[in-house]
Amino acid sequence: MRAAPARPGTAEQRAWEHWQARRRWARAGLVYAVMLLFAIVFVGPLLFAAVSSLRTDPLEYPPSLAIPQLQPGNWAAAARLGQAGAGDRWFGGFAPGAVVPFEIAYFVPDGIDVTTPDVEVPRRRPGAGLGAVLAIEYAADYASVSELQRLPDVPMTVETSDGTTRGRRVAYAFTIRYEGDGPEIDRLPLDVTAAVGMQYLESTLTASRLERRGRTASFNDVAPGVLGYVLRNYVRVFNEVRSPATRQSLFVAWIGNSFTFAAVRIVVTLVIASMAGYALARLRFRGREAIFMLVLFSQMVPLQVLFISNYLVLRDGIFTIGGFTLSSLWGYPGGMLNSLTGLVFVTALNAGAVFIMKQFFESIPREVEEAAMIDGANHWRRYWNVVLPMARPALGALTILTFQGAWNDFFWPFIVLTSPENVKTLPIGLLSFRNTYGAVGDWGLILAGAVMSAIPVIILFVVFQRYFMEGVSFGGGKE
Amino acid sequence: MRTKRSDTVAAYLFLLPFLVLLLIFFVVATGRAIYFSFTDYDLFRPPNWVGLRNYAALFADALFLSALRNSILFAVIVTAVQTFLALVMAAVLNQKVRGIGFFRAAFYMPSITSSVVITLIFLWMFQRRGLINYLTETLQRQLPVLLSFALILIAVQVVQVAWERRRALPATWTDPALLVVSLLVASGATWLLVTTGVIAPRDVAPVDFIWLQTRDSIPSGAPFWLSVPIPLAAIMIQNVFTTIPTFMLMYLAALQDVPKSHYEAASIDGANATQQFLRITIPSVAPVTFLVLTLSMIGTLQMFDQVAIFGDAAPLRSVVTLAYFVYDRMFPGAQTPEVGFAAAGAMFLAVLTLVVVLLQRRLVRSEGY
């Protein structure tokens, strides 16, 4: 090995510099490539799940990114069909007076007889589980399918692994009508069954699946509208999963509960942590060290130790003596299980937040307060008027971290919110999705719900990235 | 500063809400858990003192032993793998480049989303006909192509480095400029070989590996304490995936503080990349390593969410952890709750966690960091 040539300005020196510069550029390029690779690995599963959640069946094999829901041709068709079905190009439907035109094409190899396919509007229940208990109207009761009209044949060949097959393209057109009066129905399923040997090629809208060894092209909805088609699983999450008693959409209830829980928990955390943090950082009093040690120690005890007693505390409404339950003072005579209030109580102890606020208050110079002290302000005024306004950055960071923590919280909602379905928060609701729909392999609904529940935190992260990064150093860097 | 009476009164008023919560939900809770662990409490009848019977019963309980085995294997394997990978990835990425913020955000994505979302997505990927099996199958099928790519890459790089060294330029075996050329040449050559049909993907049997609904473990036939149930391995993979980015970024921050001159001095002395990694990188981030190890051990020993979310998708014995064991004994479905037994399990978990933390503290002190 040798070092750089000593004589500057020579040709040799210039070649050397050129060589070095080339290496720097190449290294930067490789680093970006590796970072891109890592980013794909880490974001990949989320993105792939998001794309697959559009699929009719996300478990369809092989996994693929080329899915009918992402093809513009299908979007246009879905809009047109939705317009024809219920005058709604976004969400579609099947309303009285509708005339839905449809075409379907087959490849028929030479030597196979062509028989007119059989078209039927089936009575299919939407999904399984939580949605199946609801009484619904079926399009089958109101729809009538016209005669199939055979369009001109077109000669064509198909390449397969065995070689070239000659034949022709045979296409049919028909309409589905809503005759007479009746309710508007939100979906129009369709089954088209052809003779053996006729191979499904394409149709106005790509078939949802092929059944009976490819003979039956099955459509979940032939009047879906654009959103009804692309975001079908998402629409199902809202529409199909309803409380049996009130018909209220459970997913909407869960979103509401999650937001309420997060909002209340933020307020409670900010108030309690800033007050306690102020006292620990600024006031000298007997027992300060002991309390601080307790704060540190409380973070090392596993949740499982605490949850046994805390569960009982909620069940008993803090405490019950001689028939009097303390929580009946604020409207919970039967204990606070299965209520957001109980959940807020049991998660209100947040030693980490107290720690963060204490650290922050210690970083504010004392002189700021001393000026107020000379003016004769008491502790409360000094906290409320002087120190707290200066703590906005810390309170902001704490708000965002608390929101994320509350929104994602699993353990306590899992323990406290068990029944009925509409008291749950989103993560626990998603778990009951998994229990009901995972067993029957209906992953479209589960993935759509999961993707939607991730969105608020992702938005928050994109906007307030800085706070999340600091959160890591709050939690980790203080050892 | 002197303690003033008015300060004390004010301080306790400020602390009142926090102290009430701390008292009810921490002090009383810990006390009651300790007390229950010595009783036969079952939620309905008043507790009777049974002494150490619950603790003795723990080690005769098959589910607890499974939980203990799973928790320890999970904590040790996941901590080792994710710490090592995080450090290696951080070392690879340790360059001052523009636009790191974007990538940093991308790396954080898995760790900001909730455990439920990530676990559901992984459950879906681990299905029998899911993405993981598909990728494994694709990898097996494309093995000839990948191998020839790697061989061509190495050959071209060797030729180039040899050529540069003949010209008396100090090229290393991983010289970035030459590597870019080698990558391009290897890609082109592989593409040519595939299109001309010289090498073709293999025919392989479809991969139908069952990740979830199985009682098998790996390595098969290993003694009880060393066998990892396959569903638990699936959770390990998921956990490593979600935690690596956080630790990697912690390492990256530490590495950026290591003076570049150390590496330059080492390379003048003729140390290669591996030697530099072992002799400079690892020692200079040792404090971060201890922090990462502690955080990781605490997190993994208390793993609960994934087990609860897997639910009946995998046999309980195969995924149960100490944390879930406590929950399971507290709410055992149709059976009578065994609160005393659950509390004993919880105390065991608490002591185990504390021992790990204290051991690591002691280790850190004795190493002088």
Side-chain angles (χ1 to χ4, degrees):
Chain A
M1 299 270 169
R2 60 170 208 183
R7 284 163 298 152
T10 59
E12 201 186 352
Q13 165 76 13
R14 276 198 301 280
W16 169 263
E17 274 166 10
H18 182 72
W19 194 75
Q20 287 290 354
R22 198 182 54 154
R23 298 181 74 207
R24 270 197 299 279
W25 277 103
R27 171 169 294 144
L30 285 178
V31 165
Y32 279 117
V34 172
M35 281 208 276
L36 199 63
L37 189 76
F38 287 172
I40 290 171
V41 168
F42 287 125
V43 186
L46 288 175
L47 278 183
F48 194 70
V51 171
S52 298
S53 70
L54 303 177
R55 279 187 128 175
T56 309
D57 176 14
L59 273 188
E60 200 181 315
Y61 200 82
S64 158
L65 287 172
I67 59 176
Q69 278 79 2
L70 290 179
Q71 290 162 11
N74 278 327
W75 301 346
R80 221 165 46 237
L81 293 168
Q83 182 74 32
D88 182 349
R89 69 184 65 217
W90 297 111
F91 289 101
F94 194 49
V99 181
V100 180
F102 208 76
E103 284 182 24
I104 187 163
Y106 292 91
F107 170 68
V108 185
D110 288 343
I112 300 274
D113 290 335
V114 173
T115 39
T116 308
D118 188 30
V119 178
E120 187 205 6
V121 177
R123 293 174 73 91
R124 253 205 303 269
R125 278 192 169 280
L130 297 165
V133 292
L134 301 171
I136 54 153
E137 296 278 358
Y138 292 102
D141 298 334
Y142 303 93
S144 63
V145 179
S146 72
E147 286 290 309
L148 267 65
Q149 184 197 350
R150 183 159 165 186
L151 304 171
D153 291 358
V154 181
M156 67 179 287
T157 55
V158 167
E159 304 280 343
T160 59
S161 52
D162 306 330
T164 309
T165 314
R166 297 186 164 281
R168 61 222 146 108
R169 179 184 189 273
V170 178
Y172 299 90
F174 56 92
T175 57
I176 308 156
R177 290 165 187 280
Y178 193 133
E179 280 163 352
D181 260 349
E184 183 178 334
I185 295 156
D186 54 10
R187 78 184 72 201
L188 177 58
L190 191 73
D191 282 349
V192 183
T193 308
V196 178
M198 293 171 69
Q199 295 162 23
Y200 168 80
L201 272 183
E202 58 190 348
S203 45
T204 311
L205 205 63
T206 307
S208 306
R209 68 197 145 265
L210 296 177
E211 290 169 350
R212 300 173 65 192
R213 292 167 178 260
R215 283 183 60 201
T216 302
S218 187
F219 301 85
N220 285 327
D221 189 355
V222 293
V226 182
L227 297 180
Y229 180 69
V230 179
L231 299 179
R232 178 168 176 275
N233 288 324
Y234 291 76
V235 175
R236 286 179 62 210
V237 166
F238 284 103
N239 284 346
E240 263 176 40
V241 190
R242 289 174 184 280
S243 149
T246 60
R247 303 212 53 167
Q248 174 206 22
S249 166
L250 286 176
F251 201 73
V252 173
W254 298 338
I255 292 176
N257 290 341
S258 271
F259 270 115
T260 313
F261 172 53
V264 177
R265 185 152 147 197
I266 287 169
V267 174
V268 168
T269 303
L270 289 190
V271 170
I272 295 177
S274 68
M275 279 167 57
Y278 176 76
L280 289 173
R282 275 295 197 262
L283 302 173
R284 293 288 168 272
F285 57 95
R286 195 168 297 210
R288 182 174 166 277
E289 270 71 38
I291 290 174
F292 190 61
M293 287 308 292
L294 206 57
V295 169
L296 288 185
F297 187 62
S298 74
Q299 286 176 299
M300 278 167 57
V301 174
L303 271 180
Q304 278 69 29
V305 172
L306 307 177
F307 107 94
I308 297 172
S309 163
N310 293 355
Y311 172 81
L312 297 175
V313 165
L314 285 194
R315 188 194 69 174
D316 302 337
I318 309 292
F319 62 78
T320 306
I321 292 177
F324 170 74
T325 305
L326 186 68
S327 65
S328 61
L329 289 180
W330 52 93
Y332 292 92
M336 294 191 292
L337 290 177
N338 292 316
S339 77
L340 285 182
T341 314
L343 186 60
V344 168
F345 261 93
V346 85
T347 55
L349 176 64
N350 190 342
V354 173
F355 195 77
I356 289 177
M357 289 314 295
K358 173 184 174 289
Q359 298 283 101
F360 185 83
F361 286 134
E362 279 171 352
S363 74
I364 297 178
R366 268 181 186 281
E367 292 74 44
V368 177
E369 256 185 283
E370 272 156 14
M373 215 166 3
I374 293 163
D375 292 346
N378 62 19
H379 286 297
W380 177 256
R381 296 258 305 274
R382 273 150 58 187
Y383 160 76
W384 188 253
N385 292 339
V386 182
V387 182
L388 211 51
M390 294 186 71
R392 279 212 194 104
L395 295 176
L398 202 53
T399 303
I400 287 160
L401 292 179
T402 310
F403 179 88
Q404 187 212 7
W407 188 266
N408 289 347
D409 196 6
F410 180 76
F411 185 79
W412 280 114
F414 180 67
I415 302 294
V416 176
L417 309 173
T418 49
S419 73
E421 286 289 330
N422 60 6
V423 299
K424 295 182 174 178
T425 56
L426 258 182
I428 312 308
L430 285 178
L431 192 58
S432 63
F433 265 15
R434 194 204 73 70
N435 292 332
T436 358
Y437 293 94
V440 292
D442 190 351
W443 278 86
L445 215 98
I446 303 173
L447 288 183
V451 168
M452 270 192 280
S453 85
I455 288 173
V457 173
I458 289 179
I459 291 177
L460 209 66
F461 175 68
V462 170
V463 178
F464 297 106
Q465 222 198 91
R466 197 163 53 89
Y467 290 119
F468 282 85
M469 309 289 176
E470 278 167 15
V472 172
S473 62
F474 269 135
K478 300 293 183 208
E479 286 288 292
Chain B
M1 198 189 275
R2 207 163 50 84
T3 305
K4 284 189 293 184
R5 170 162 288 186
S6 70
D7 269 15
T8 305
V9 173
Y12 279 98
L13 283 176
F14 273 112
L15 281 165
L16 187 66
F18 177 68
L19 287 182
V20 169
L21 290 170
L22 196 67
L23 183 72
I24 299 176
F25 292 114
F26 178 70
V27 178
V28 170
T30 310
R32 277 221 276 193
I34 295 172
Y35 168 65
F36 285 148
S37 74
F38 295 106
T39 69
D40 63 353
Y41 190 44
D42 64 358
L43 284 189
F44 306 111
R45 284 169 308 178
N48 296 309
W49 187 266
V50 295
L52 286 170
R53 209 168 68 193
N54 287 326
Y55 289 92
L58 280 182
F59 292 91
D61 187 80
L63 187 66
F64 176 79
L65 292 177
S66 291
L68 183 59
R69 190 262 321 257
N70 289 351
S71 280
I72 291 176
L73 287 179
F74 185 81
V76 170
I77 294 176
V78 169
T79 300
V81 171
Q82 72 193 9
T83 309
F84 176 73
L85 288 181
L87 179 56
V88 170
M89 286 168 73
V92 170
L93 288 186
N94 183 25
Q95 305 285 334
K96 292 216 163 57
V97 288
R98 285 163 172 276
I100 183 106
F102 168 78
F103 291 103
R104 210 199 272 264
F107 298 154
Y108 255 121
M109 243 10 142
S111 37
I112 56 151
T113 40
S114 70
S115 56
V116 177
V117 169
I118 292 282
T119 309
L120 286 179
I121 289 175
F122 269 79
L123 265 178
W124 165 68
M125 296 200 303
F126 276 120
Q127 297 293 307
R128 208 167 148 194
R129 305 259 66 192
L131 186 65
I132 304 273
N133 279 351
Y134 175 73
L135 288 181
T136 317
E137 189 181 317
T138 311
L139 202 69
Q140 290 181 7
R141 177 169 299 139
Q142 303 293 343
L143 203 60
V145 180
L146 292 172
L147 275 180
S148 31
F149 176 80
L151 283 176
I152 299 172
L153 179 74
I154 293 171
V156 176
Q157 181 77 0
V158 166
V159 168
Q160 284 197 93
V161 171
W163 173 253
E164 294 275 300
R165 286 189 175 176
R166 262 185 60 126
R167 287 170 56 203
L169 288 166
T172 59
W173 291 110
T174 53
D175 186 274
L178 303 182
L179 195 58
V180 169
V181 175
S182 305
L183 278 169
L184 290 176
V185 171
S187 312
T190 313
W191 179 79
L192 211 67
L193 287 176
V194 171
T195 41
T196 52
V198 178
I199 44 170
R202 291 194 301 164
D203 277 334
V204 290
V207 172
D208 261 336
F209 192 77
I210 299 173
W211 284 95
L212 304 172
Q213 284 296 0
T214 174
R215 289 178 193 285
D216 293 346
S217 49
I218 38 177
S220 61
F224 174 81
W225 291 99
L226 291 178
S227 54
V228 181
I230 290 168
L232 189 71
I235 303 184
M236 285 178 180
I237 293 173
Q238 188 222 307
N239 203 89
V240 167
F241 168 84
T242 29
T243 327
I244 277 186
T246 316
F247 290 156
M248 182 185 76
L249 291 173
M250 284 167 76
Y251 270 128
L252 204 54
L255 282 177
Q256 308 250 303
D257 293 340
V258 179
K260 253 211 149 82
S261 54
H262 289 191
Y263 291 100
E264 281 158 11
S267 73
I268 286 171
D269 289 348
N272 62 25
T274 318
Q275 285 170 330
Q276 289 182 21
F277 181 74
L278 292 177
R279 296 283 162 76
I280 304 176
T281 309
I282 290 186
S284 41
V285 295
V288 180
T289 303
F290 280 113
L291 177 63
V292 164
L293 287 177
T294 310
L295 289 178
S296 176
M297 283 301 276
I298 295 176
T300 47
L301 272 179
Q302 300 182 4
M303 194 266 285
F304 174 89
D305 296 11
Q306 283 87 336
V307 185
I309 298 161
F310 268 46
D312 57 5
L316 180 61
R317 280 284 175 82
S318 303
V319 289
V320 67
T321 56
L322 289 174
Y324 195 83
F325 170 82
V326 177
Y327 169 82
D328 185 70
R329 290 298 89 197
M330 183 84 177
F331 304 110
Q335 304 164 26
T336 315
E338 300 172 285
V339 181
F341 198 40
M347 294 319 297
F348 183 86
L349 175 61
V351 171
L352 189 64
T353 313
L354 213 63
V355 167
V356 167
V357 173
L358 292 181
L359 267 183
Q360 271 167 346
R361 285 259 159 91
R362 169 144 305 183
L363 215 63
V364 173
R365 284 221 186 98
S366 70
E367 295 279 326
Y369 294 114

